Amino acid sequence: MNIILLGAPGSGKGTEASLISKDLSIPTISTGDIIRDNIKNKTELGILSQNYINLGQLVPDDLVINLVKERLTQTDVLNGYILDGFPRTVTQAQALQSFSKIDKIILIDTNYDVIEERILSRRTCPVCKRVYNTKTYKSDFCEVCKAKLIIRDDDNKETVKNRYDVYLKETAPLIDFYKNQGLLYKVNGNLQADEVYKEIKQILQK
Ligand code: AMP
């Protein structure tokens, strides 16, 4: 099954993606993670993306579309995949339709105050990309790979607001785009991660 997780930054896409990935044994493709790895490795894509990501703006469509198109040629996606953070614009969604077929789009619907609180207390494992929250996880190290957790450069109060505005302007139009295709399902992203996942599981079983 090919799944898109749609939702504002901090809505819990990464957390829910790892749960689905484990359950269905299909990979998560997070464009944010791929771009951050490219920045770390100083690749051409990384150098071109750095300013956009730090300001909370979207990386240009053609760069992101090409990276997803290429990623989807790898054999591990043959039984399905989860897209986390892509598409983020109607142009990206139209491009995706030209090279892959999506079965379900799950919108994680979350209020801004919840998003801000989650992002400001988010810690990320730089190795396996697992996401933690300081409210519920008290260690500074990843429970799986033991790496020291980091705060993403774009997880600060100023950028959160920018990213949310960009979401409303560029990404929220995808809700109607997919609703019109009859592929959109909505879950309540204000709940705890395991409660959200219960809703997602019901959708995946439909
Ligand atoms: P994320 O990890 O999904 O929150 O993404 C972090 C940042 O990476 C975003 O604020 C954008 O700068 C960039 N990014 C990730 N995915 C995309 C995308 N599909 N289109 C454009 N920029 C993206």
Side-chain angles (χ1 to χ4, degrees), residues 31-32 35-36 53 57 59 64 85-86 88 92 152 163:
T31 42
I35 295 168
R36 279 185 289 278
I53 212 168
Q57 291 170 359
V59 171
V64 190
F86 182 93
R88 257 179 160 100
Q92 293 178 14
R152 277 171 45 176
R163 286 156 69 198

